[in-house]
Amino acid sequence: LCTTNSAVAVLIDGAPIIVEIPGEGRTMPSVVSLLAPPAKAAGAGGNDDGEEKEEEGLGWDAVVGREAIALESSAAASSSADDDDGESSSSAAAVRSKTYRHVKRVIGTGGISAARNAGIVPHLLISSSVAAAAGASAASFAHASGGGGGGRKKGKKGKGNRKKKRLKKKSSSSPGGLPSLLKQVEDASTDPALLSGPPPPPADDDDDGTSSSSPPLPPERLSSIVLRRLFDAAEQESYARTGRRTRVTRAVVGVPAYFHDAQREATLRACRMAGVEKSRLLIEPEAAALAYGVGRDRMAAQGGERGGGGD
């Protein structure tokens, strides 16, 4: 589960094998589009067991990966056509969607830490007070790290002043002007990051598309949709190899080494939302080291089998 692209592997004979994700390849863009299902006529029945599945609790169909990117491009083109023609486009009226990307940047964050990603993570909700605090924090850090120009460069007094400034800055904030680690974890609980929800789907054929937005979505809800697609790909690979339909019940998810406790717990929540209750986290440097060790051991074993028997 990565910020830009995600991948999934399964264990085959004790070795991890990257799974080809249908329609994507070995990696899949971590992009999610939520689109309204067709309006139901009065008295219409339930689902038609189609390929697209309505996400529980959202009332919207979810599209992931390259298909979501294509839908986003289509929506942008439709919007441009509407502006040029001065009237609604039939394609825009038929498909109302909202696309989310880079969600991992704000999973398990809140307050200033989340607000600093406003220019990167689309549809991120930020209060005016938090936005002002984030701007002040960034400006303060830029001033402190930019150098005063006229400060003393020699002498014990100048060195002492610089040391005191460094200690003060270290105690109040993290690198990059972020709040302290304890404050980041606290903000994740008291002021968690949220993304604006898409407009609610039409209730019937008479809906005019002017209804208000859905409740905000936590980042882990959207990450769970990406994870579910990855788990589905793993299950399809298992069926192709064994002929038996199985469900993913346990998973190991890679996370960055810098993730704090709140970010780790949010990732675990995303796994549970995706239907996998038993999951463990593995920091990415350790995952890389383990992968190297597994590959090296296999190569050594294969080399011994091929070269056995002496010179």
Side-chain angles (χ1 to χ4, degrees), residues 7-287:
V8 62
V10 295
L11 283 176
I12 304 295
D13 297 329
I17 304 297
I18 294 290
V19 171
E20 291 279 343
I21 303 170
E24 304 288 344
R26 290 166 60 88
T27 61
M28 178 186 71
S30 303
V31 181
V32 176
S33 285
L34 298 180
L35 61 152
K40 295 180 181 179
N47 297 333
D48 296 330
D49 294 328
E51 187 172 334
E52 289 183 349
K53 182 173 59 176
E54 182 178 309
E55 286 296 320
E56 183 179 356
L58 291 179
W60 282 69
D61 294 325
V63 175
V64 188
R66 288 177 173 81
E67 189 178 356
I69 295 175
L71 181 64
E72 181 183 36
S73 300
S74 175
S78 297
S79 177
S80 177
D82 292 346
D83 293 339
D84 294 340
D85 299 340
E87 57 185 16
S88 298
S89 166
S90 59
S91 60
V95 180
R96 296 182 300 168
S97 65
K98 182 173 284 189
T99 302
Y100 304 84
R101 59 176 72 236
H102 306 311
V103 172
K104 187 178 176 181
R105 284 182 172 270
V106 294
I107 190 171
T109 67
I112 295 176
S113 301
R116 288 169 63 89
N117 292 283
I120 303 173
V121 181
H123 316 304
L124 183 63
L125 297 175
I126 304 173
S127 64
S128 57
S129 59
V130 170
S137 175
S140 175
F141 177 77
H143 176 75
S145 61
R152 299 190 180 188
K153 297 182 179 179
K154 296 181 181 180
K156 294 182 179 179
K157 186 174 181 180
K159 291 182 179 179
N161 287 339
R162 288 196 298 272
K163 184 175 181 180
K164 289 180 181 179
K165 289 180 180 178
R166 286 196 300 269
L167 290 174
K168 183 178 180 181
K169 184 172 67 175
K170 185 176 181 180
S171 63
S172 60
S173 65
S174 301
L178 290 173
S180 67
L181 180 59
L182 291 177
K183 178 61 175 173
Q184 292 180 50
V185 174
E186 179 184 349
D187 286 345
S189 175
T190 60
D191 186 19
L194 292 171
L195 296 103
S196 62
D204 50 48
D205 294 333
D206 296 329
D207 180 70
D208 58 3
T210 60
S211 49
S212 60
S213 296
S214 304
L217 300 173
E220 52 266 36
R221 187 68 184 88
L222 294 161
S223 292
S224 72
I225 299 174
V226 177
L227 285 170
R228 186 61 256 171
R229 176 69 183 276
L230 298 177
F231 295 153
D232 288 344
E235 291 170 0
Q236 291 174 21
E237 179 71 13
S238 174
Y239 176 72
R241 288 177 176 269
T242 65
R244 298 190 305 271
R245 296 195 179 276
T246 58
R247 295 280 295 176
V248 173
T249 57
R250 296 177 296 174
V252 177
V253 180
V255 295
Y258 61 80
F259 261 26
H260 52 62
D261 289 349
Q263 291 171 299
R264 293 168 181 259
E265 179 54 38
T267 305
L268 292 174
R269 285 200 300 273
C271 289
R272 291 193 291 269
M273 290 178 181
V276 177
E277 293 291 334
K278 297 181 179 180
S279 55
R280 298 186 64 179
L281 303 181
L282 181 65
I283 63 173
E284 289 163 357
E286 287 185 1

